[in-house]
Amino acid sequence: PDLAERKTAKIQLDNGLQAYIISDPGAEQSAAALAVTAGSWQDSEQYPGIAHYLEHLLFLGNEKYPEEDQFMGYVKSNGGLVNAYTSSDRTVYMFSINNNVFDSALDQFSHFFIDPLFNPSGVKRELHAVDQENAKNIENDGWRSWMIFKATGNPKSPNAKFSTGNAETLGKIPPSEVKQWWEEHYTASQMHLVVYSNQPLDDLIKIVNEDFEPI
């Protein structure tokens, strides 16, 4: 009964991006998540951790919204949450926010994948963040078990790669290499989007097409 008023649609945009759209009049907040089918298994041999590093860099602004951390601040100031993670075979970005500002937030979110700046002013800071994240994981039993699993597995498997990355593996990576990796893997045909909101289904379909078709 709770889902009786919910309407859904599965669509594929002209650029190849696939979207699952959920219209729920009872939604207390709106949300979206986008998964790119590229993760640590697609890391280059020369720069282990590049997929994870790129995940951090996309928060540094874009051509339409150049201010660093603008999206993060906007979401938090409107009652929402932001997160992202890099796994073996995908990288996922997600947020929730109050219904009345969802349209604006979704537009800002879409530009992560349209025209990121890879802002030099934040590159070193994000490299430090990646390095600190790896250092934190060393003391985590779950991560230590995962490292043992990787180290004792098939060394020729992509799962054997150093997925997190640190200052040593990423410290000398040229900006052009990061952009090239983004251009190769962050294509619309490798993206899957989920949108959830209280807005009418037809309105959500129109918004998704307008915001994500430029990818």
Side-chain angles (χ1 to χ4, degrees):
D2 289 344
L3 307 181
E5 301 300 320
R6 179 178 289 188
K7 296 181 179 180
T8 63
K10 294 180 181 178
I11 66 172
Q12 179 166 307
L13 307 191
D14 290 342
N15 60 8
L17 182 146
Q18 296 180 342
Y20 181 49
I21 302 172
I22 306 164
S23 171
D24 185 350
E28 295 181 359
Q29 281 197 322
S30 297
L34 188 143
V36 185
T37 53
S40 62
W41 284 352
Q42 284 72 43
D43 281 351
S44 65
E45 296 294 334
Q46 190 175 3
Y47 300 109
I50 189 173
H52 181 216
Y53 187 39
L54 178 61
E55 173 212 314
H56 281 248
L57 296 182
L58 291 194
F59 285 88
L60 297 181
N62 48 72
E63 291 183 14
K64 186 172 182 179
Y65 303 98
E67 185 179 340
E68 286 187 27
D69 296 326
Q70 177 175 339
F71 179 72
M72 188 87 70
Y74 187 79
V75 170
K76 289 183 177 180
S77 66
N78 285 283
L81 297 170
V82 183
N83 209 343
Y85 67 87
T86 302
S87 66
S88 301
D89 61 350
R90 70 198 63 214
T91 308
V92 182
Y93 304 80
M94 69 207 83
F95 76 94
S96 63
I97 200 165
N98 291 336
N99 291 326
N100 64 311
V101 292
F102 181 58
D103 290 11
S104 175
L106 193 65
D107 183 55
Q108 294 180 49
F109 183 63
S110 69
H111 280 270
F112 276 42
F113 316 102
I114 297 171
D115 49 14
L117 291 175
F118 305 110
N119 200 328
S121 65
V123 166
K124 288 186 178 180
R125 185 183 68 245
E126 294 309 317
L127 176 61
H128 179 71
V130 168
D131 190 62
Q132 290 297 300
E133 192 172 332
N134 177 68
K136 170 182 65 68
N137 292 340
I138 293 173
E139 301 300 323
N140 180 283
D141 286 344
W143 272 94
R144 293 165 90 168
S145 297
W146 178 237
M147 290 299 112
I148 292 171
F149 178 74
K150 289 163 72 71
T152 57
N154 183 352
K156 296 182 180 180
S157 167
N159 198 57
K161 293 181 178 180
F162 178 31
S163 56
T164 307
N166 59 16
E168 182 178 349
T169 65
L170 298 167
K172 296 182 180 179
I173 185 171
S176 59
E177 186 76 20
V178 178
K179 188 172 183 179
Q180 181 178 336
W181 197 94
W182 171 75
E183 290 175 343
E184 179 180 350
H185 296 285
Y186 274 55
T187 60
S189 60
Q190 295 192 84
M191 294 181 179
H192 302 84
L193 172 71
V194 178
V195 168
Y196 173 80
S197 179
N198 67 338
Q199 297 187 37
L201 186 62
D202 288 344
D203 291 351
L204 291 174
I205 293 173
K206 180 181 178 182
I207 293 167
V208 166
N209 272 281
E210 290 175 349
D211 288 350
F212 292 88
E213 183 61 42
I215 297 175

